[in-house]
Amino acid sequence: MENSGDERKIEIKCENVSKVYKLGNSIVKALDNVNLTIMSGDYISIMGPSGSGKTTLLNIIGALDHPTSGRVYLDGYDITNLPERKLTFFRRNKIGFVFQAFYLIPTLTALDNVLTPIMPRGVKPADKERALMLLEMLGLKNRVHHKPGELSGGERQRVAIARALISDPPIILGDELTGELDSKTGQEIMDIIDRLNSELGKTIVIVTHDIKVAERAKIKLRMRDGRIIEDTGF
Ligand SMILES: Nc1ncnc2c1ncn2[C@@H]1O[C@H](COP(=O)(O)OP(=O)(O)O)[C@@H](O)[C@H]1O
Ligand SMILES: [Mg+2]
């Protein structure tokens, strides 16, 4: 029998991805020839010091930014040079992003914040039900009508996670998602991320400089100077 066992598909692939920033006369190589293959259901952490290229890589994987050279594939599609209009489709349907700073809209309730990604196409009653279900799943049943300013940091990040899940994307990307939280709250948020992988089968990629966060993942990578250094078994 050929190829027995792993029938998972390739979710994300970076081939020789580099990103160069030019500032005046100086050149910053934020990513230096990165190769990375992520299978569906993977749970990956990428650790590295500040400035090592973690955010740049995550933004390119998440269709928020283009590489200077190399190719990026998402769900088998080459997204390297797609125009903004088409990248939006991938962002809406394939990717849920969770950021350090939450990026919630302060004037909207938790419920409406969760619904913001689908507002452009119009919110249907079923969407609202799904948003309520997600908020309940994340322990926020009694915070649905609260605004971000009336929520704790951990609660805000849980709203942001519900927002990332509203379109039921297969991939969740987290950029320093516990960076604004105390360590206990950060661990609670990571318990949720663990469950998104183990129970919902989401493909997870988190970047962090916190070893306790990185240790949660099944595949642990490190970055330095824009390069991925393979699993060093930390
Ligand atoms: N928009 C930008 N313009 C110029 N340089 C940038 C820009 N974004 C990031 N960089 C530089 O690229 C490198 C990698 O940055 P980043 O991906 O944010 O690292 P990390 O997330 O690991 O801290 C850094 O040297 C940073 O200063
Ligand atoms: Mg960063």
Side-chain angles (χ1 to χ4, degrees):
M1 202 165 62
E2 280 178 62
N3 209 3
S4 64
D6 201 343
E7 288 175 13
R8 300 180 305 156
K9 69 179 165 90
I10 295 174
E11 199 90 88
I12 299 162
K13 189 164 189 171
C14 295
E15 271 176 11
N16 303 322
V17 165
S18 293
K19 179 78 176 180
V20 177
Y21 291 111
K22 291 194 185 96
L23 289 177
N25 289 329
S26 75
I27 287 179
V28 177
K29 207 158 195 189
L31 292 179
D32 186 5
N33 210 34
V34 168
N35 286 287
L36 180 62
T37 300
I38 299 172
M39 308 295 291
S40 70
D42 273 351
Y43 185 177
I44 297 181
S45 64
I46 303 173
M47 214 173 74
S50 181
S52 58
K54 304 182 300 296
T55 294
T56 304
L57 177 60
L58 209 63
N59 288 347
I60 287 174
I61 287 174
L64 288 172
D65 200 1
H66 295 283
T68 308
S69 61
R71 307 218 75 85
V72 184
Y73 301 88
L74 206 57
D75 193 22
Y77 295 93
D78 185 343
I79 65 159
T80 315
N81 292 313
L82 284 186
E84 184 54 33
R85 180 174 50 81
K86 291 194 174 159
L87 282 182
T88 304
F89 168 84
F90 283 92
R91 279 205 294 274
R92 288 223 185 103
N93 296 290
K94 302 283 180 201
I95 308 277
F97 239 114
V98 186
F99 300 95
Q100 171 173 9
F102 321 131
Y103 294 132
L104 300 175
I105 298 174
T107 52
L108 296 182
T109 63
L111 176 62
D112 285 339
N113 265 290
V114 173
L115 288 166
T116 50
I118 48 183
M119 281 176 181
R121 68 147 167 80
V123 174
K124 300 178 188 118
D127 299 321
K128 209 169 158 181
E129 266 175 50
R130 177 169 169 78
L132 288 167
M133 180 275 286
L134 289 168
L135 285 167
E136 187 172 350
M137 181 184 98
L138 294 166
L140 294 171
K141 197 180 175 189
N142 299 320
R143 297 290 186 276
V144 167
H145 301 298
H146 285 55
K147 292 181 179 158
E150 300 157 351
L151 297 169
S152 71
E155 288 169 341
R156 284 183 217 176
Q157 194 57 302
R158 281 184 277 154
V159 173
I161 291 171
R163 178 184 57 192
L165 292 168
I166 189 69
S167 306
D168 202 14
I171 303 163
I172 301 290
L173 304 178
D175 191 356
E176 304 279 3
L177 79 174
T178 63
E180 303 263 303
L181 308 174
D182 64 76
S183 72
K184 179 170 173 284
T185 308
Q187 294 294 322
E188 284 164 13
I189 291 296
M190 289 313 298
D191 288 343
I192 292 169
I193 300 297
D194 288 357
R195 277 168 42 215
L196 298 183
N197 178 252
S198 63
E199 293 172 22
L200 300 183
K202 301 292 181 196
T203 305
I204 311 268
V205 185
I206 51 165
V207 304
T208 180
H209 60 263
D210 182 344
I211 190 158
K212 275 191 132 163
V213 171
E215 274 171 350
R216 299 278 190 138
K218 292 177 193 147
I219 298 171
K220 303 176 242 305
L221 305 174
R222 280 182 190 267
M223 279 194 88
R224 209 175 62 206
D225 300 333
R227 291 170 174 269
I228 288 191
I229 307 164
E230 286 303 319
D231 190 342
T232 45
F234 64 84

